[in-house]
Amino acid sequence: MRPDVAAAEAVDRGAPCARSPRVNLAGVPRLLEQLPAVRAISQRIESGRPGAPAVVRVLDAAKAPLLVAVGRSLAPKVPLLVIVTATHNRARELAELLVAFGGDPTAIALIPEPGTSFYEASYSDPAQVQARVESLWRVATGRASLAVVSTRALMQRVSPPDALRQAARTLRVGQSVRPAELTEAWARA
């Protein structure tokens, strides 16, 4: 088999090969941080009122590296940067790009949409509920510095961060806990 055909087939299967080296994109946000325009965006966000939105229009291709650069420059001063997208698919893609451009995966919280409509009382997918609670927990405890959320996920009411922090219980392997006590504590929260 010809080498170019083998390389093309390997790429089609998603396998790494000599002709498709991995590209390290982490340096792009570092370069952007030095640009006056990026510093101006950071200053605009930093000087705004707490909780007030700062809307910045950017080309799609530049969003991820720019957000990583701005997030790094604001990290000590602004504890959470919330990025709102139109759809959950776009939020997921953006979260993946943020990691690809050198964002800390543990500091990026992708907040999933609720699994049901607003008028339905229960969730159908426990994995989706777990992912949503885990993301909200990372935001509430300050472990996430970037939250990526779709408009639908943002519209769903959630408990205040203090209530979430107070309701949390750390369970360790081998620890004995009465399920009724946990249920009671969580019902009070």
Side-chain angles (χ1 to χ4, degrees):
M1 182 180 288
R2 293 184 356 220
D4 58 334
V5 173
E9 287 178 1
V11 170
D12 286 343
R13 290 191 310 270
C17 68
R19 292 191 165 214
S20 63
R22 295 186 186 258
V23 177
N24 183 353
L25 300 172
V28 175
R30 287 189 200 100
L31 293 172
L32 290 176
E33 286 175 46
Q34 299 169 14
L35 296 175
V38 173
R39 286 196 297 268
I41 291 169
S42 297
Q43 289 171 349
R44 180 177 167 197
I45 293 170
E46 187 181 345
S47 66
R49 293 186 332 259
V55 178
V56 179
R57 287 180 173 72
V58 180
L59 293 173
D60 277 347
K63 283 181 184 173
L66 180 67
L67 287 167
V68 171
V70 169
R72 284 181 186 161
S73 68
L74 294 173
K77 304 162 213 138
V78 177
L80 180 66
L81 190 60
V82 179
I83 302 146
V84 182
T85 65
T87 66
H88 180 68
N89 286 340
R90 181 63 187 131
R92 189 185 72 253
E93 290 169 3
L94 184 56
E96 290 171 359
L97 284 170
L98 291 170
V99 172
F101 277 100
D104 178 5
T106 61
I108 298 168
L110 171 62
I111 301 175
E113 293 180 348
T116 59
S117 298
F118 297 110
Y119 57 86
E120 293 177 314
S122 65
Y123 290 97
S124 58
D125 184 11
Q128 190 171 16
V129 173
Q130 181 180 357
R132 187 168 166 82
V133 168
E134 191 267 334
S135 293
L136 292 170
W137 169 252
R138 289 178 37 226
V139 167
T141 58
R143 291 184 172 105
S145 57
L146 287 170
V148 186
V149 60
S150 70
T151 52
R152 183 168 181 263
L154 191 62
M155 291 188 312
Q156 181 70 33
R157 292 186 66 163
V158 295
S159 299
D162 287 338
L164 186 58
R165 285 189 290 267
Q166 290 172 357
R169 300 290 183 261
T170 301
L171 303 176
R172 291 178 175 72
V173 175
Q175 180 179 353
S176 177
V177 180
R178 290 190 179 131
E181 288 177 9
L182 284 176
T183 305
E184 237 178 72
W186 289 331
R188 283 191 305 265

